[in-house]
Amino acid sequence: MGAMAKHLGRHRSTLYREVKRNQSAHDGRYRASHAVEKANGRKHRSRRNWLYGPTAFAPIETLIRQRFSPEQIVGRRQLAGQAVMSHETIYRWIWQDKRCGGTLWRNLRGARKQRRKRYGRYDSRGRLTGKKTIEQRPAVVASRGRIGDWEIDTMHGRGKACVVTVVERKTGLVRLGRFTAPPRNRRSIGRSNCCGKNASE
């Protein structure tokens, strides 16, 4: 690591931080493509470097003071073929203006209460930073050419109970385990009783 840091002109502690921050949660290894994906995810969630400045928000501010909602502003500008940021970005800018002592927020129809709490932070629902897609699995796994490659999935019904299915890709062996609540991580799946019931395809 020291020789690599010297070659790159960086302190070795910088490289250690990079490896620790972007290593794979699956096997602990560092992969450049994985690191870039995780870095892009952090950059997308960061608000330190906004893509829009005061000039871009000037026409938006005019419309807000005319009592148009951010959703209406986005819709009108899109119909007119004009460039515009998302309505979430507009809401974040309005509340940032309020924290700085501005009065732009008073033109919102729900000005007494900041109703849209999800705009106070980045909404990451449905997003997994650095996730490994199914296309990245080895060819031998895709071709079912060996025994020992398993697929895990969950089946949900009404209520919170669910069933965990573990399928061996080559032989078709299926193991089932029941949860009274949805599993939240791989460790909880590993603790499930998936060895009690077997089935075949």
Side-chain angles (χ1 to χ4, degrees):
M1 188 67 76
M4 188 183 303
K6 184 177 180 180
H7 176 74
L8 295 174
R10 296 289 188 272
H11 195 276
R12 61 178 180 274
S13 63
T14 303
L15 271 66
Y16 279 117
R17 287 196 302 270
E18 168 67 15
V19 171
K20 183 177 181 180
R21 181 169 52 183
N22 293 317
Q23 64 185 1
S24 172
H26 177 67
D27 55 13
R29 295 185 179 182
Y30 180 89
R31 298 178 179 85
S33 59
H34 180 81
V36 170
E37 191 172 346
K38 293 186 71 173
N40 288 337
R42 289 193 297 268
K43 181 180 178 181
H44 183 72
R45 292 191 299 272
S46 174
R47 295 189 210 151
R48 290 185 299 175
N49 301 315
W50 283 49
L51 297 177
Y52 305 98
T55 303
F57 280 113
I60 307 298
E61 179 176 349
T62 301
L63 293 173
I64 291 175
R65 295 194 183 279
Q66 294 176 10
R67 308 290 289 182
F68 286 100
S69 69
E71 290 86 355
Q72 289 175 324
I73 293 172
V74 172
R76 287 171 62 92
R77 292 181 67 88
Q78 287 178 343
L79 288 175
Q82 299 173 324
V84 65
M85 66 287 294
S86 70
H87 66 276
E88 294 185 2
T89 301
I90 297 176
Y91 274 115
R92 287 199 297 266
W93 173 66
I94 292 173
W95 296 120
Q96 176 66 29
D97 176 73
K98 179 184 177 183
R99 285 192 291 270
C100 294
T103 60
L104 194 60
W105 63 278
R106 296 182 182 277
N107 296 280
L108 294 178
R109 297 172 184 176
R112 290 178 176 267
K113 187 176 182 181
Q114 185 174 346
R115 299 174 185 273
R116 297 171 177 81
K117 292 185 178 180
R118 66 178 181 274
Y119 300 121
R121 62 179 63 185
Y122 178 75
D123 186 6
S124 59
R125 290 173 294 183
R127 302 173 185 267
L128 296 175
T129 303
K131 68 178 180 181
K132 195 171 185 179
T133 64
I134 195 170
E135 289 80 9
Q136 293 178 284
R137 63 186 178 186
V140 65
V141 177
S143 64
R144 304 174 188 258
R146 67 184 180 189
I147 297 176
D149 297 313
W150 298 79
E151 289 184 351
I152 301 177
D153 201 356
T154 56
M155 296 185 297
H156 293 259
R158 292 185 178 180
K160 295 184 178 180
C162 69
V163 174
V164 177
T165 63
V166 185
V167 182
E168 204 287 317
R169 288 180 55 81
K170 183 174 178 61
T171 63
L173 176 66
V174 180
R175 293 184 174 180
L176 307 175
R178 181 177 182 274
F179 270 97
T180 56
R184 298 186 179 277
N185 51 48
R186 290 178 298 174
R187 183 176 298 177
S188 63
I189 292 177
R191 291 198 299 265
S192 68
N193 184 19
C194 291
C195 300
K197 299 181 181 180
N198 294 339
S200 59
E201 290 184 339

